[in-house]
Amino acid sequence: LARPQGLLKTAREHRAALALAGLLGAALVLNGTRAVLLGLGAALAAASWSDRNWRRHALAAGLTLLAVASFWEVMPNSGRNLRTLIAGKPGDESHRTRLTLWRVALDIAGERPVTGAGPGGYRAAFGRLHPEPLEAEKTWGNAHNLFLHQLAERGIPGLLMLLLLFGALARGAARAARESGAEGLWALTALAAFAVMNVTESAWQIEQTATLFLFAWLAGAGPRPGAENL
């Protein structure tokens, strides 16, 4: 199959794409979640690595992300920035909450490295390992990191299976990007963003988010209907 040289054929399509990108960028900044920006950066990096048509935009995209992240550090956001986290100033509770949740996940994995605490076991073990309330909550059922959560509840074998799954998805998306162009690139960039997003969330365990991601991956890297399938 011939690789498409460009998806946007007319000036009107280019303007519409730029307007959509501007709206998306504004939404990401106002959302106040740095992990979303990191996910977008991972998607752009995956696109630039896979497709030569994207490589010429890689530097501009990286500088744009850096500028947005720098702006986000100084905009009013209740102290949720890296400066307060590093300096230990008040206002960085959301950052420290995640660090605590990750530490508890590692403590659980240290107790049961092979079997883990079992499905739902994180919630049961949290109160024992961290008896003090965290953001006024006495118990938490999610480590807010898919990989650490999997390690805590299903042990090292469960984490390895999760990584194997992501590796298979990455291999299929990369192959589709080489063979079918735009559709495969969609799958590859969606996977990159989804993987980074799961560093601070357990989005794989949210049915709506996981289903949307799998739809994007299948649309881009899934089998194409052929005469033998009709």
Side-chain angles (χ1 to χ4, degrees), residues 11-32:
R12 182 178 180 181
E13 290 175 328
H14 277 281
R15 289 194 298 270
L18 288 174
L20 181 60
L23 289 174
L24 176 61
L28 292 178
V29 173
L30 295 177
N31 178 266

Side-chain angles (χ1 to χ4, degrees), residues 55-102:
R55 288 173 195 151
R56 57 184 176 179
H57 303 299
L59 178 59
L63 292 176
T64 301
L65 284 174
L66 179 61
V68 171
S70 300
F71 171 72
W72 202 81
E73 282 293 310
V74 299
M75 68 183 292
N77 48 31
S78 303
R80 293 184 60 195
N81 51 44
L82 292 178
R83 299 192 316 279
T84 55
L85 177 63
I86 296 173
K89 296 179 181 179
D92 60 351
E93 288 79 7
S94 63
H95 298 83
R96 298 194 179 279
T97 294
R98 277 186 168 81
L99 293 177
T100 301
L101 295 174
W102 297 351

